[in-house]
Amino acid sequence: MTIRTEQPVPLDERDVRLLRSKRTPPSTMGFDAVLTVAFVIYLIVAKPEFFTIWTSIGIGILVLVMVLLAFHVNDEQRSLREDLDTGVKAYRDGRISSVYTREVVDSPPIYRIDVVVDGPESPMSFSVPQEVYDAVDEGQQARIAYAPLSRILFELKTDSCVYIPTDAKWKK
């Protein structure tokens, strides 16, 4: 298998639209934080007997989880902003290392594929529609176009399908 890496290519308009659609307004996280603080203040004022050592520990753990989530979301959003600012996408050749679904209670399954490319990095994982999931096989050669930092998939080409998420197109 020959693996080649090409120079980055400028984003086209549909790639820019896809990246922008993945952005979360900063006010969303701020609004969640304000609601949480308001709720805790309400509990302190309205129900002081509610606060025992265990509820304080529980609230502390909840706040810690929210802070960690905020850092994670901020990191993802920073990657998206940098990809938009840089304005390029990368093309890589590799192979599909795994095809799997992720089940979430009371939700439809999430279909995922992992693509291994050259280099020390772990496989890149992408969500795909069921039709694409059904059309590809493990070990199959693949060519991907993606945003270098946020690793959002712009295009997947194999012998059995071509998938472009921005157009919601795929074909066998």
Side-chain angles (χ1 to χ4, degrees):
M1 167 173 82
T2 59
I3 297 179
R4 60 181 186 197
T5 304
E6 295 180 6
Q7 293 297 322
V9 175
L11 295 173
D12 57 34
E13 185 56 38
R14 69 178 179 203
D15 298 333
V16 171
R17 278 195 315 270
L18 178 64
L19 286 177
R20 285 185 179 148
S21 74
K22 303 281 185 185
R23 292 186 66 191
T24 302
S27 60
T28 304
M29 287 300 286
F31 183 70
D32 293 345
V34 167
L35 281 179
T36 303
V37 168
F39 181 69
V40 170
I41 290 172
Y42 165 77
L43 287 176
I44 290 171
V45 173
K47 305 217 184 245
E49 71 278 0
F50 177 75
F51 280 92
T52 66
I53 186 71
W54 293 111
T55 55
S56 299
I57 290 171
I59 288 173
I61 291 171
L62 178 64
V63 167
L64 178 64
V65 168
M66 288 182 66
V67 166
L68 292 174
L69 179 63
F71 280 121
H72 175 72
V73 169
N74 184 53
D75 188 48
E76 285 181 346
Q77 295 301 306
R78 181 187 47 76
S79 296
L80 280 169
R81 284 190 304 274
E82 288 179 17
D83 279 333
L84 282 165
D85 291 344
T86 306
V88 296
K89 61 182 167 184
Y91 282 90
R92 302 285 289 273
D93 289 337
R95 66 175 174 76
I96 297 175
S97 65
S98 62
V99 179
Y100 59 97
T101 59
R102 213 168 50 190
E103 303 284 332
V104 180
V105 178
D106 295 333
S107 295
I110 299 169
Y111 300 96
R112 300 197 59 88
I113 61 168
D114 288 345
V115 179
V116 174
V117 296
D118 61 329
E121 63 217 30
S122 59
M124 290 188 232
S125 185
F126 304 106
S127 293
V128 296
Q130 182 178 1
E131 296 82 8
V132 175
Y133 170 86
D134 292 337
V136 299
D137 296 312
E138 289 183 14
Q140 192 172 23
Q141 292 294 113
R143 180 163 180 78
I144 57 173
Y146 63 98
L149 297 173
S150 58
R151 294 196 173 187
I152 293 181
L153 182 67
F154 295 129
E155 186 176 319
L156 168 74
K157 289 183 181 181
T158 67
D159 292 337
S160 57
C161 79
V162 174
Y163 171 59
I164 302 171
T166 51
D167 291 340
K169 289 182 183 174
W170 72 278
K171 62 182 175 181
K172 285 187 178 185

